[in-house]
Amino acid sequence: MSDELAFIESLRNPKTQDQAFSVLVEQNKERLYWHIRKIVLDHYDSDDVLQNTFLKIYKNIGKFKGESRLFTWMYRIATNESLTFLKQKSRKLGVQSNEYIHDKAQNLRSDPYFDGDEIALELQKAIASLPGKQRLVFQMKYQESMKYKDISAILGTSIGALKTSYHHAVKKIKEKLTTDQTF
Amino acid sequence: MSTTQNNRSSEAFRVPDGYFETVNTRVLGMTAAAHKNPFSTPKGYFATIKAGNWTKKIKKQPSVIRLNILRYSAVAAVFFAVILLTNSPASSQLDTIEDSEILALVEANWINAYEFELAENINTSDWSLEVVSENTIYEHLLSNPNTMDEYYLLDESFN
């Protein structure tokens, strides 16, 4: 933790911040990208959101109070940037965020950066059909193998509520996959 | 179609032959699919991500915002005057902002905000018609960075 505090201090110090930020980007770009990508689905959209996420991190590091881990704070920013992006994009198209992401999932087959087979495609469609919160929780718990404690800190939701959301999400996905594939 | 009969005679539901043997395979396949990342990126994408790209942009950003403020100020002043004139005392602050073009202007200036964020942070009832302009909004936003930088997970699709 003291290492982290020292690193945060170097991010805040004008003399060292650019170098420290380079390290932060190197260490976190891939995991933040994949977190964002699972939410917005499209590579180019993810690239935009990742850029906005790092911009916010850089601009706001001075306000980071150190009450949570840096990793948690960055994930929280990435999550919110992703949700903001979806909301703005869907607003422009005159649809709800859930409808927008549902349509995106339906068209994944034609995405040159989606290499999944039929099962993976159906799973993504099933995930996209979940309500926003359940989708996020399922993604973080199941696809990113995150701990409830960390998800709770990122989403500001109690562990109990997360477990409930996850339970509902798994149930719905099972039902959807069974319905779509068996009959 | 060959079928497997349900044991309970009171029920006549059947499943295709061998169905239950395939369940495990399919479930395992789904589980594997869930953990296998089906998404990819252009070759060498992560190597192109460098902190310098963002730090340069951030250092340039304030002037961009201020330039845009000037560009949009005249238009926004008109919009906002109309909003205030049409705003009845019964309207909530959130309605005022939702009905306005403020969000479009804010978005156009790279400052992302939800209606509720603006509503929570900008007390429109304090503003009188003669002093309000779009510059007032931006001055408020720029001098109260928390307005834009606090993170909420209150998206309606999230709840």
Side-chain angles (χ1 to χ4, degrees), chain B residues 107-154:
Chain B
E107 282 176 12
N109 283 277
W110 285 49
I111 307 169
N112 299 321
Y114 284 152
E115 292 92 334
F116 65 79
E117 289 176 311
L118 292 172
E120 281 176 5
N121 289 282
I122 302 175
N123 187 359
T124 52
S125 63
D126 286 348
W127 296 349
S128 59
L129 185 59
E130 61 269 25
V131 296
V132 169
S133 71
E134 184 256 1
N135 270 340
T136 313
I137 300 166
Y138 283 115
E139 284 308 318
H140 180 94
L141 296 179
L142 291 171
S143 60
N144 293 276
N146 282 341
T147 304
M148 297 300 117
D149 298 333
E150 285 295 326
Y151 287 93
Y152 299 90
L153 284 162
L154 296 176

Side-chain angles (χ1 to χ4, degrees), chain B residues 21-37:
Chain B
E21 284 73 38
T22 69
V23 170
N24 270 0
T25 313
R26 284 190 300 114
V27 170
L28 286 175
M30 288 168 195
T31 309
H35 287 288
K36 185 184 163 197
N37 186 359

Side-chain angles (χ1 to χ4, degrees), chain B:
Chain B
M1 181 173 66
S2 179
T3 59
T4 302
Q5 185 77 40
N6 189 305
N7 286 338
R8 293 171 65 185
S9 56
S10 60
E11 294 179 20
F13 296 107
R14 294 173 294 176
V15 297
D17 247 4
Y19 165 74
F20 290 110
E21 284 73 38
T22 69
V23 170
N24 270 0
T25 313
R26 284 190 300 114
V27 170
L28 286 175
M30 288 168 195
T31 309
H35 287 288
K36 185 184 163 197
N37 186 359
F39 297 102
S40 60
T41 62
K43 201 174 175 185
Y45 166 68
F46 288 113
T48 67
I49 302 175
K50 299 284 178 203
N53 302 347
W54 289 295
T55 49
K56 279 177 201 161
K57 193 164 191 169
I58 294 161
K59 283 164 186 168
K60 285 180 186 169
Q61 210 173 15
S63 60
V64 174
I65 292 173
R66 291 197 182 277
L67 187 70
N68 283 339
I69 287 172
L70 293 174
R71 190 183 303 161
Y72 287 103
S73 60
V75 182
V78 175
F79 278 135
F80 203 68
V82 173
I83 293 157
L84 286 182
L85 287 171
T86 55
N87 183 26
S88 73
S91 296
S92 72
Q93 201 162 292
L94 182 57
D95 288 340
T96 306
I97 289 168
E98 277 180 341
D99 294 342
S100 76
E101 296 292 331
I102 295 172
L103 281 175
L105 291 163
V106 169
E107 282 176 12
N109 283 277
W110 285 49
I111 307 169
N112 299 321
Y114 284 152
E115 292 92 334
F116 65 79
E117 289 176 311
L118 292 172
E120 281 176 5
N121 289 282
I122 302 175
N123 187 359
T124 52
S125 63
D126 286 348
W127 296 349
S128 59
L129 185 59
E130 61 269 25
V131 296
V132 169
S133 71
E134 184 256 1
N135 270 340
T136 313
I137 300 166
Y138 283 115
E139 284 308 318
H140 180 94
L141 296 179
L142 291 171
S143 60
N144 293 276
N146 282 341
T147 304
M148 297 300 117
D149 298 333
E150 285 295 326
Y151 287 93
Y152 299 90
L153 284 162
L154 296 176
D155 185 277
E156 75 265 10
S157 63
F158 187 78
N159 292 308

Side-chain angles (χ1 to χ4, degrees), chain A residues 18 21-22 25-26 29-30 33-34 37-38 41 43 47 50-51 54-56 58-60 63 76-77 79-81 83-84 87-88 91 96-98 108 113-116 119-120 123-124 132-133 136 142-143 145 154-155 177 181-182, chain B residues 16 19 26 29-43 45-52 54-55 57-59 61 65 103 107 110-116 145-146 148-159:
Chain A
D18 282 2
F21 189 63
S22 292
V25 170
E26 274 308 309
K29 61 187 180 184
E30 290 201 35
Y33 170 86
W34 287 117
R37 179 75 183 272
K38 300 283 170 56
L41 300 182
H43 164 69
D47 187 41
L50 183 67
Q51 176 172 302
F54 278 121
L55 277 169
K56 290 256 164 116
Y58 186 83
K59 280 169 65 182
N60 293 291
K63 293 177 202 155
R76 193 170 169 84
I77 292 175
T79 305
N80 280 284
E81 284 301 311
L83 294 176
T84 303
K87 181 161 183 171
Q88 286 174 343
R91 185 194 290 150
Q96 293 290 313
S97 300
N98 279 5
L108 272 177
Y113 299 115
F114 182 81
D115 308 323
I119 290 175
L123 180 70
Q124 289 304 321
K133 185 174 182 180
L136 266 181
Y142 197 71
Q143 296 191 288
S145 302
I154 292 164
L155 301 183
L177 288 175
Q181 295 205 359
T182 309
Chain B
Y19 165 74
R26 284 190 300 114
M30 288 168 195
T31 309
H35 287 288
K36 185 184 163 197
N37 186 359
F39 297 102
S40 60
T41 62
K43 201 174 175 185
Y45 166 68
F46 288 113
T48 67
I49 302 175
K50 299 284 178 203
W54 289 295
T55 49
K57 193 164 191 169
I58 294 161
K59 283 164 186 168
Q61 210 173 15
I65 292 173
L103 281 175
E107 282 176 12
W110 285 49
I111 307 169
N112 299 321
Y114 284 152
E115 292 92 334
F116 65 79
N146 282 341
M148 297 300 117
D149 298 333
E150 285 295 326
Y151 287 93
Y152 299 90
L153 284 162
L154 296 176
D155 185 277
E156 75 265 10
S157 63
F158 187 78
N159 292 308

